[in-house]
Amino acid sequence: MSNDLGKLVLRLTLGILMLLHGIAKLSSGADHIAGMVASHGLPGVLGYLVYVGEVLAPLLLIVGLWTRPAALVVAINMVVAIGLAHMGQLGQLGKSGGWALELQGFFLFTAVAVALLGAGRFSLGGRFN
């Protein structure tokens, strides 16, 4: 019971914070993200996948449906975000290096933990929980 409650708290924390982060980021649209992706030589349309990683996947985590795949989507999204947007901040200890990397690292490692642990019994159930 306590293990399942811990899994619930972990996945709700990740889902809610990631969803709020995604809503704040996407409130002005995903055009700036598509432009950043295109500036790295990738198709700009890939920038719109941020809706999947920062809105749809967190909703699935909150509801407890397909939690392992949703957590993997969040983890992949964070690896891409760190690689494309925050790579220059990896060695920075200045103004925004710490905060940006702590936030991205929290999302990344919490998503990996949820993917490895699963949803527990407080979910909608299913094969991929």
Side-chain angles (χ1 to χ4, degrees):
M1 172 76 173
S2 63
N3 287 342
D4 290 327
L5 189 58
K7 291 176 185 180
L8 173 68
V9 169
L10 189 64
R11 95 179 139 81
L12 285 179
T13 302
L14 174 62
I16 291 169
L17 291 177
M18 188 74 197
L19 182 63
L20 292 173
H21 176 75
I23 289 171
K25 183 189 292 183
L26 297 171
S27 62
S28 62
D31 293 335
H32 65 284
I33 298 170
M36 182 210 39
V37 169
S39 72
H40 284 84
L42 299 168
V45 72
L46 291 178
Y48 292 93
L49 291 176
V50 74
Y51 286 109
V52 175
E54 296 193 9
V55 176
L56 180 61
L59 286 173
L60 290 173
L61 287 171
I62 292 168
V63 173
L65 185 64
W66 299 320
T67 54
R68 289 179 195 257
L72 287 175
V73 167
V74 170
I76 291 168
N77 192 21
M78 288 302 104
V79 168
V80 171
I82 291 169
L84 294 182
H86 301 289
M87 189 59 79
Q89 297 169 331
L90 284 178
Q92 249 181 0
L93 297 176
K95 295 181 181 179
S96 66
W99 169 250
L101 293 177
E102 288 171 4
L103 182 64
Q104 304 300 330
F106 165 77
F107 289 146
L108 173 62
F109 293 116
T110 307
V112 169
V114 171
L116 293 174
L117 294 173
R121 69 178 180 177
F122 298 113
S123 67
L124 291 179
R127 191 174 138 200
F128 296 108
N129 283 325

